[in-house]
Amino acid sequence: MLKEMRNTFTKIFGTAYEPEKFFAPGRVNLIGEHTDHEGGFVFPCAINLGIYALAAKRDDKILRLYSMNFDEGIFTPFEINIDEIKNKIDIRTWVNYPLGVVNILKNHGYKLNYGADILYNGNLPGGAGLSSSAAIEVLTGKIFSELFNLNIDGVSMAKFSQEAENNFVGMNCGIMDQFAVSMGRKDHAVLLNCSTLEYSYAPLNLENYKIVITNSNVPHSLAGSEYNLRRQQCEEALADINKIKKISCLCGLNQNELDEYSYCVKNPVNLRRAHHAVSENARAIRASQALKSGDLKTFGRLMNASHVSLRDDYQVTVPELDTLASLAWEFPGVIGSRMTGGGFGGCTVSIVESEKVNDFIEKIGAGYEKLTNRKASFYCIETSDGAKKIL
Ligand code: GLA
């Protein structure tokens, strides 16, 4: 991949400079879904599918960007003067993610006196809920940090990238994706408390099991989906409860407390959303403990329960994701399976006995096609470190 990128770099930018190499992973969330924006726990890991970049400094203020994934057939890079980056643009919309990050860095007072030529190419399926947006954001931040010695630490990088997505791209996401992409560690999952940003790494001792991601190939469109509406419903539930009991976020409540204050929540749909956030938060904590103590069975059951809650209370699954999860639950070598990411399409994550992975792919693939007329894609992934410069 990098060799082909090197040739393309010369073709597109025609520059004499030798570019530096970077990689940012995608992420898969094992459990703790839709809890990040409610101040709860998430438990994702960075994966070995991601986005690579070749980048070279310039000695003027021009930023040139080209994606081998999105710009096929266009032979010129997108070009802009760093000082002119202010708002989202309507053409080549993928560039809004890197532009957003550059803009946020400027807003935070980083003096960007020079531009860069950046070529991106990834093997992370876009629109699959594996955080291609967070990957390109954190990757761009990392490139600027390294090329211009900005010394931005990983947690700040995650925060800046989230800010870019919230305020420049206009997607009201939580911090999980950017955090996992920036701070991930090979062979570990990250247990992150999204209200304090305290985090710890849990070794992923999956013994003779593998993480298999199944793409429903129903493209998920978070910005266009009901993601923001779900957040709003949670906010309404919190505001109702706050009239009687002061708490800063829904995940500040445990299940008993939510039951006790449930009468305050006026809209029954909002109460279901709150119920998901609170129960999922408890599951994320329990699941991370189960994994630490080697209790994979409990871990798997909690994953299954997470899917049910996302299906029935939070209502962010689609029939295709439910079909994939149900097929996986019936498969003898699976200990747990659930939708992962924002929902409304995208992927499931399953923990599958290593020896049965091929059989899983064959059987689930066939069952899925029969029931939905769609083809699924499968990725048997490894975990990875967070965004980095490749030496
Ligand atoms: C998307 C968002 C994250 C998180 C998940 C759901 O991936 O970007 O912040 O809310 O959905 O857990």
Side-chain angles (χ1 to χ4, degrees):
M1 161 114 59
L2 285 168
K3 206 164 166 208
E4 188 197 348
M5 286 178 73
R6 183 66 190 85
N7 292 336
T8 308
F9 190 90
T10 310
K11 253 189 243 150
I12 297 296
F13 297 117
T15 163
Y17 298 117
E18 186 58 31
E20 297 184 41
K21 308 179 206 72
F22 300 86
F23 173 74
R27 68 93 188 90
V28 65
N29 189 19
L30 298 176
I31 195 161
E33 210 67 83
H34 284 284
T35 46
D36 63 348
H37 44 79
E38 304 312 316
F41 281 85
V42 293
F43 198 44
C45 45
I47 61 177
N48 60 339
L49 300 173
I51 306 179
Y52 293 84
L54 296 186
K57 290 187 227 185
R58 294 177 58 92
D59 42 25
D60 55 16
K61 281 201 151 182
I62 302 297
L63 175 64
R64 296 197 292 174
L65 307 169
Y66 188 88
S67 161
M68 289 170 71
N69 302 103
F70 294 110
D71 292 339
E72 214 187 18
I74 309 176
F75 299 101
T76 50
F78 172 84
E79 190 172 318
I80 192 164
N81 184 307
I82 290 211
D83 291 339
E84 269 147 35
I85 303 173
K86 289 194 177 78
N87 298 306
K88 200 165 144 170
I89 58 149
D90 293 331
I91 35 148
R92 291 214 215 181
T93 47
W94 71 267
V95 302
N96 285 312
Y97 297 91
L99 293 187
V101 171
V102 174
N103 193 49
I104 295 297
L105 293 180
K106 288 196 305 181
N107 291 350
H108 279 273
Y110 289 97
K111 296 262 167 296
L112 304 183
N113 295 325
Y114 299 102
D117 289 337
I118 311 178
L119 176 78
Y120 300 95
N121 191 13
N123 54 12
L124 194 60
L130 300 177
S131 291
S132 50
S133 326
I136 196 165
E137 288 158 2
V138 174
L139 181 60
T140 307
K142 187 79 187 162
I143 289 169
F144 270 82
S145 182
E146 292 281 336
L147 290 186
F148 302 111
N149 297 318
L150 306 180
N151 291 320
I152 304 174
D153 65 87
V155 175
S156 305
M157 191 70 86
K159 288 193 201 165
F160 293 151
S161 301
Q162 183 202 12
E163 205 179 321
E165 182 134 359
N166 290 168
N167 300 342
F168 193 91
V169 178
M171 162 65 201
N172 204 10
C173 63
I175 187 122
M176 168 172 73
D177 304 346
Q178 290 79 7
F179 201 96
V181 167
S182 181
M183 297 292 291
R185 183 182 284 180
K186 191 165 169 44
D187 297 324
H188 293 76
V190 196
L191 181 68
L192 171 68
N193 177 341
C194 297
S195 68
T196 60
L197 292 193
E198 279 169 319
Y199 62 95
S200 59
Y201 293 102
L204 260 185
N205 290 329
L206 292 179
E207 297 158 24
N208 52 336
Y209 288 87
K210 292 263 180 223
I211 300 175
V212 181
I213 295 174
T214 307
N215 189 347
S216 66
N217 286 319
V218 176
H220 89 143
S221 162
L222 274 179
S225 77
E226 298 200 17
Y227 186 92
N228 290 349
L229 174 61
R230 292 296 179 284
R231 285 198 65 163
Q232 191 193 322
Q233 290 166 330
C234 287
E235 270 164 33
E236 285 169 12
L238 180 65
D240 284 348
I241 295 170
N242 263 331
K243 287 181 196 142
I244 308 288
K245 182 182 167 68
K246 291 279 168 250
I247 39 155
S248 59
C249 56
L250 278 182
C251 292
L253 294 172
N254 63 32
Q255 191 62 59
N256 288 341
E257 288 166 330
L258 179 63
D259 288 346
E260 193 179 326
Y261 293 101
S262 58
Y263 74 97
C264 309
V265 182
K266 291 196 202 85
N267 182 333
V269 172
N270 294 354
L271 183 59
R272 280 160 81 179
R273 308 301 187 236
H275 188 262
H276 166 74
V278 170
S279 66
E280 180 72 356
N281 192 38
R283 277 187 293 273
I285 296 167
R286 269 187 74 197
S288 65
Q289 287 161 351
L291 190 71
K292 272 186 200 148
S293 61
D295 183 357
L296 285 182
K297 290 226 163 89
T298 301
F299 187 74
R301 278 196 299 271
L302 290 164
M303 288 178 76
N304 298 348
S306 164
H307 185 91
V308 171
S309 178
L310 288 156
R311 184 191 66 197
D312 298 344
D313 279 345
Y314 214 63
Q315 297 183 296
V316 292
T317 66
V318 288
E320 286 86 348
L321 288 173
D322 296 334
T323 302
L324 282 177
S326 302
L327 288 169
W329 294 339
E330 281 157 24
F331 187 86
V334 169
I335 55 167
S337 182
R338 57 180 286 276
M339 64 146 268
T340 184
F344 300 103
C347 297
T348 59
V349 55
S350 310
I351 311 289
V352 186
E353 207 178 311
S354 309
E355 281 187 355
K356 302 220 169 108
V357 168
N358 289 339
D359 204 22
F360 174 87
I361 293 176
E362 198 186 304
K363 298 265 162 50
I364 306 301
Y368 182 66
E369 193 170 352
K370 193 164 152 221
L371 293 167
T372 65
N373 267 330
R374 283 182 188 271
K375 279 196 192 305
S377 317
F378 296 85
Y379 319 99
C380 185
I381 55 101
E382 299 293 330
T383 54
S384 153
D385 285 326
K388 61 182 176 199
K389 182 171 161 182
I390 306 171
L391 298 170

